Amino acid sequence: MRKVMTRPRPRPTTTRPPGGRPPTRKDSRTTPRSGPTPTSATSTTSTTAATTTPRPIPAQPPPHPTEIFAERLVLVLSGQRPMHWVARHIANTAFDELARLAELRPLRTDGHRPTIHRIGHYQPHPETYEVFARIATGPRLRALAFRLTLGADRKWRCTAVETETSAPSRT
């Protein structure tokens, strides 16, 4: 059995380098257009150019399909996005189940935006993921489970969705 717990990766706060300019562009206001440089020493200009060059931002790995689908399902089940927004990513039987769940809005916000706390998955087959996620809606923590299957067209599709639909009874 291969179970994997993933933690949502922190999103980069900015995609620009620390200098605020894209790495391929140069600020024309700070470089002289023509003529001699104010300092005659070439070593001084080469060291200043080396220190002002922004470091490249490392490329982020693409998000795992389980993270993408968990985010999409949360947006639909909370009512923030319409059903047709995910229709092409859902298989026929799961679409009916998701439509029934979306009408009940089990992750309705009540003033709080639902957030994904943790995502985990189990891979029973190389082309299938069984995914479980913990969703926080305000002070409550809820569960969401779904299955992803890789289709013949090599695209991931959701084939089953489950979540709590009613409030727990207090006895």
Side-chain angles (χ1 to χ4, degrees), residues 26 30-32 35-53:
K26 293 185 178 161
T30 58
T31 58
T37 59
T39 59
S40 60
T42 58
S43 63
T44 312
T45 58
S46 64
T47 55
T48 57
T51 57
T52 59
T53 317

Side-chain angles (χ1 to χ4, degrees), residues 116-129:
I116 300 172
H117 271 233
R118 186 161 296 241
I119 302 171
H121 63 270
Y122 166 66
Q123 193 171 10
H125 187 269
E127 296 180 349
T128 305
Y129 286 115

Side-chain angles (χ1 to χ4, degrees), residues 136-156:
T137 55
R140 276 191 77 178
L141 196 62
R142 300 177 186 212
L144 173 67
F146 57 97
R147 177 180 290 134
L148 294 179
T149 305
L150 191 61
D153 58 353
R154 308 303 294 167
K155 292 184 181 179
W156 290 101

